[in-house]
Amino acid sequence: MARLFGTDGVRGLANADLSPELALSLAVAAAHTLADLADPDRTQPPLVVVGRDPRASGEMLEAAVVAGLASAGANVVRVGVLPTPGVAFLTAEVRADFGVMISASHNPMPDNGIKFFAAGGHKLTDEQEDAIEAALGAPWTRPTGAAVGRVHDLLDGADHYTSHLVDATEHSLSGLKVVVDCAQGAASDVAPEAFRQAGADVVAINAEPDGLNINEECGATHLASLQAAVVEHGADLGIAVDGDADRCLAVDANGSEVDGDEIMAILALAMRDAGTLVDDTLVATVMSNLGLRIAMREAGITLVEAKVGDRYVLEELRSGGFNLGGEQSGHVVFTDHATTGDGVLTGLRLMARMAQSGTSLAGLAAVVTKLPQVLINVRVADKAVAKAPEILAAVAAAEAQLAGAGRVLLRPSGTEPLVRVMVEAATEEAAQKIAEGIAADVRAASPLAG
């Protein structure tokens, strides 16, 4: 049987792959496993924080999750519509045994997902997820009477989270004008308010969620409307989050995109200059552009590589004791202030660096000279072909050809029968040619039937 948990919780088409019955069962299984991990000798009922993004199916799935938790004897604190990092923050803030976020992040509206946070607001390990899966459908004794869990609403949860974001912004944003694209998602109220409280002049767009329009041609996955709005309003920059606001991309005053690699470089230099970057080290993934690696090397900052996925960045951060890491896609983690990627916090700290330095976003981002990057997804019969001797030889030959002025990365997909071929080179033409050559070798070594 395929593993139920993916790279970021359980996700699928709401009311089909992800049904209320499955949501209820997951909640019961989590109550029986995560509560015991948080406190094996407990004498009080478990406490669980539950939040969601504004997509319509979240109402249905929230009801199922809350019912499952209460039926297992857990007390539930509902925080309503709130960004994923806000739910993680409140899980730690109220000292809950674990938290539940109902969201499919940047996915289209028909999808939804369920992700769990362990005590302290930390993402689950593979072992914790496996324990939940193993407990699905296992026999259990239902509590009755006073032992049934109770459900309460935390009405000021968003205010607590917003205050936390502003407190973590180390310089007033006064004098800066920003367009904030809320992706019709979970940050539609919190993000504009946080930027205003931090001192910025704010123009909010795509901040009227109706349950059906989340991520619809907006947010971090569709920057065109933000780019146009920044130019139209004469703003200093634009900030785009995704549906659950755990990541952030930016747009400079000219409407040009500033991606996660450039954002990480800007923030790493800011923290190094302030003396707060632990061991002068940044954690990024293997997909980050070679330009980031070069910029960090020239700045005397060590770059530690993690596997793709913010959970693996978090593992490297925690194991090494580092305090800044992220992904090219805009997941950025500040472990001094958050336990997971936080798009609003990232935007606030990016603007704080602009205000503190008196430098435009384009000027700050210029520290990274990105190499052209080509990615080709090759559908294969067997993903193990990425380790085949003839493919490894082809990669070695390509790297010799690049002579240190580029790189080749082959990565089997974690969820699909694909091998991803990524090449960086001095020119787009060279990267495309090398990538297509290796992709052809991969297809030939593992052809699809028919």
Side-chain angles (χ1 to χ4, degrees), residues 11-342:
R11 197 173 294 186
L13 182 60
N15 212 28
D17 309 316
L18 184 55
S19 65
E21 292 84 357
L22 176 57
L24 189 146
S25 296
L26 279 167
V28 170
H32 291 153
T33 54
L34 297 181
D36 287 344
L37 289 170
D39 182 6
D41 303 316
R42 73 173 51 258
T43 57
Q44 298 295 320
L47 181 65
V48 186
V49 169
V50 178
R52 61 181 179 88
D53 73 23
R55 67 189 75 212
S57 60
E59 301 161 1
M60 167 188 74
L61 293 172
E62 178 190 57
V65 166
V66 169
L69 292 170
S71 74
N75 290 333
V76 179
V77 176
R78 286 188 304 209
V79 298
V81 174
L82 207 62
T84 290
V87 174
F89 166 75
L90 290 173
T91 298
E93 187 78 354
V94 305
R95 299 184 180 179
D97 292 280
F98 64 95
V100 185
M101 178 65 184
I102 301 162
S103 173
S105 189
H106 60 277
N107 282 32
M109 182 277 296
D111 292 344
N112 216 323
I114 298 175
K115 61 184 85 175
F116 296 94
F117 292 102
H122 298 286
K123 288 200 171 187
L124 302 190
T125 63
D126 288 342
E127 292 73 22
Q128 287 171 320
E129 290 178 345
D130 290 342
I132 293 173
E133 284 203 33
L136 277 174
W140 57 289
T141 302
R142 292 178 176 274
T144 58
V148 172
R150 306 297 299 273
V151 181
H152 304 277
D153 292 316
L154 184 63
L155 300 179
D156 59 355
D159 294 337
H160 281 288
Y161 174 55
T162 302
S163 296
H164 158 71
L165 292 172
V166 176
D167 290 344
T169 306
E170 298 175 337
H171 198 284
S172 170
L173 308 186
S174 178
L176 291 176
K177 184 174 186 178
V178 61
V179 179
V180 183
D181 185 342
C182 302
Q184 310 287 16
S188 292
D189 291 332
V190 164
E193 181 62 21
F195 282 97
R196 289 190 185 103
Q197 287 189 23
D201 179 5
V202 180
V203 177
I205 64 172
N206 300 312
E208 298 177 344
D210 61 10
L212 307 177
N213 58 3
I214 189 170
N215 298 317
E216 190 175 283
E217 298 298 318
C218 61
T221 54
H222 299 89
L223 292 177
S225 62
L226 176 62
Q227 291 168 315
V230 167
V231 175
E232 176 190 347
H233 291 280
D236 295 288
L237 77 161
I239 295 293
V241 297
D242 60 343
D244 70 335
D246 65 350
R247 61 171 164 153
C248 157
L249 293 180
V251 170
D252 69 22
N254 300 314
S256 298
E257 177 182 347
V258 177
D259 71 10
D261 284 344
E262 293 162 308
I263 291 170
M264 285 190 288
I266 293 167
L267 296 173
L269 291 171
M271 292 174 66
R272 182 207 62 184
D273 292 350
T276 59
L277 184 64
V278 171
D279 293 340
D280 284 346
T281 296
L282 170 68
V283 177
T285 76
V286 294
M287 291 300 289
S288 277
N289 194 277
L290 183 59
L292 174 64
R293 292 164 170 75
I294 294 170
M296 293 297 92
R297 184 172 67 236
E298 292 178 349
I301 293 174
T302 300
L303 193 145
V304 173
E305 280 193 352
K307 293 190 293 185
V308 174
D310 63 331
R311 64 184 298 180
Y312 300 113
V313 171
L314 280 159
E315 286 179 6
E316 289 289 348
L317 287 167
R318 295 179 71 182
S319 64
F322 308 124
N323 62 345
L324 179 66
E327 295 187 280
Q328 190 180 55
S329 60
H331 288 106
V332 179
V333 186
F334 306 85
T335 57
D336 293 338
H337 305 287
T339 57
T340 187
D342 191 323

Side-chain angles (χ1 to χ4, degrees), residues 383-395:
K383 290 186 287 188
V385 68
K387 298 293 185 182
E390 63 270 33
I391 301 303
L392 294 178
V395 170

